[in-house]
Amino acid sequence: MLAVQVLINALVLGCLYACIAIGFSLVWGVLNVINLIHGSMIVLGAYLAWGLYQAFGVPPWYVLVAAAPAFFVLGYGIQRLILNRVITAPVLVTLTLTFGLDLILNNAMIYLFKADYRKLTLVPPMGSISVMGVVVPVDRLIATAAALVLTGLLYLIMRRSRIGRAIVAVRLDRDAAVLMGVNISNIYAIAFGLGAALAGCAGVLMAMIFPISALTASTYLGKAFVVCVLGGLGSVSGALAGGLLLALIEGVGATFIGPAHATTLSFALLIVFLIVRPQGLVGRKGFE
């Protein structure tokens, strides 16, 4: 029964990890930009959910409706006004720029909210569901369902819409997409906006489960990085597969070895993948 509980926990946490990483993967895969501000955007989304619940009693699942467009506009603006100026520069330049933006945002959150951990506690508590000894908190189930919906929506956008097909075209062959009349700058901004929207929504969902602090931004960024490497860049299914694998490894490690070693195991797995399969579980060679 312990193994079943570990597996259920991994499924729940893996869907949330996929939601954390999918926007990061999209930006990296399409723009070839390692977006270091992604973790701070997740924390900003968590603070948004916490603040609206504390001030007005707005449940976090309602906050998603406002967070998605607000963070899309934020991401779109950052790409068009700042990042687009150096988008053709070497990766080190864009890496440094997003690192600087991350410092500004992260320090602003520390100034406003301090470094203390805060917890969004729903009143009354939502309780948990117990089936044959396997226990799953209801708030985690809601967060997991919302994460799957967001992942499914991005999959539909990428597969069924003109914008999604244009993003895929730019990712596969930027020069050919230009010849076909695709506005590269606009597509880059839309992809970055979608990544920011998913980061903000992931933060709202994480606020339902974990304590909030600006200090956790690097943790979320690290998990997004690991999931991208495990699953493969720019792929919705890759982010989902990578998220589930990371959650499973962490769950097994925490249960049978100790919680202190869960992170060590996940990064050991990252190194193994970088050596033997750098394109990830469902990625293709050339998109590492």
Side-chain angles (χ1 to χ4, degrees):
M1 194 55 67
L2 178 60
V4 177
Q5 181 71 64
V6 171
L7 183 61
I8 295 297
N9 291 343
L11 287 173
V12 170
L13 197 56
C15 292
L16 293 172
Y17 282 173
C19 192
I20 285 175
I22 197 167
F24 183 78
S25 176
L26 180 68
V27 171
W28 192 355
V30 176
L31 281 74
N32 195 29
V33 169
I34 301 174
N35 180 21
L36 297 185
I37 198 175
H38 191 78
S40 290
M41 284 186 172
I42 292 173
V43 175
L44 184 61
Y47 273 128
L48 178 66
W50 174 82
L52 289 176
Y53 187 75
Q54 291 295 117
F56 307 107
V58 181
W61 44 89
Y62 290 153
V63 179
L64 288 174
V65 180
F71 276 82
F72 177 85
V73 171
L74 175 64
Y76 190 96
I78 289 175
Q79 203 286 329
R80 288 307 290 260
L81 299 176
I82 303 174
L83 197 56
N84 197 43
R85 299 176 184 275
V86 296
I87 195 67
T88 57
V91 172
L92 184 60
V93 176
T94 57
L95 192 70
T96 305
L97 179 59
T98 58
F99 177 70
L101 293 173
D102 179 62
L103 284 178
I104 294 171
L105 179 57
N106 199 264
N107 281 284
M109 289 191 293
I110 292 176
Y111 178 78
L112 292 173
F113 302 105
K114 311 302 177 188
D116 301 335
Y117 282 82
R118 301 158 193 258
K119 183 72 177 74
L120 194 163
T121 304
L122 296 172
V123 180
M126 304 193 72
S128 58
I129 296 175
S130 179
V131 179
M132 299 179 65
V134 177
V135 180
V136 183
V138 174
D139 54 357
R140 290 200 174 203
L141 283 178
I142 293 175
T144 302
L148 285 174
V149 169
L150 290 169
T151 305
L153 283 175
L154 181 65
Y155 181 83
L156 289 176
I157 290 173
M158 299 296 285
R159 293 284 181 175
R160 303 294 184 186
S161 70
R162 289 175 60 88
I163 291 294
R165 288 195 290 271
I167 291 173
V168 173
V170 171
R171 173 177 177 262
L172 294 175
D173 193 329
R174 180 182 182 276
D175 294 332
V178 172
L179 293 175
M180 296 300 292
V182 175
N183 185 331
I184 297 296
S185 295
N186 192 45
I187 291 300
Y188 279 169
I190 290 173
F192 201 90
L194 286 173
L198 287 164
C201 290
V204 173
L205 299 179
M206 298 306 280
M208 297 173 60
I209 302 171
F210 299 108
I212 305 163
S213 170
L215 302 179
T216 58
S218 59
T219 302
Y220 289 135
L221 179 64
K223 291 189 184 299
F225 188 85
V226 174
V227 170
C228 286
V229 173
L230 297 183
L233 286 179
S235 165
V236 175
S237 57
L240 190 57
L244 291 173
L245 179 59
L246 175 62
L248 184 61
I249 292 298
E250 286 187 351
V252 170
T255 303
F256 298 104
I257 302 178
H261 302 292
T263 303
T264 304
L265 279 176
S266 64
F267 277 93
L269 186 66
L270 168 70
I271 293 172
V272 171
F273 263 72
L274 285 173
I275 295 173
V276 303
R277 193 173 172 80
Q279 71 271 30
L281 285 172
V282 299
R284 290 185 301 160
K285 285 189 175 181
F287 291 98
E288 296 96 337

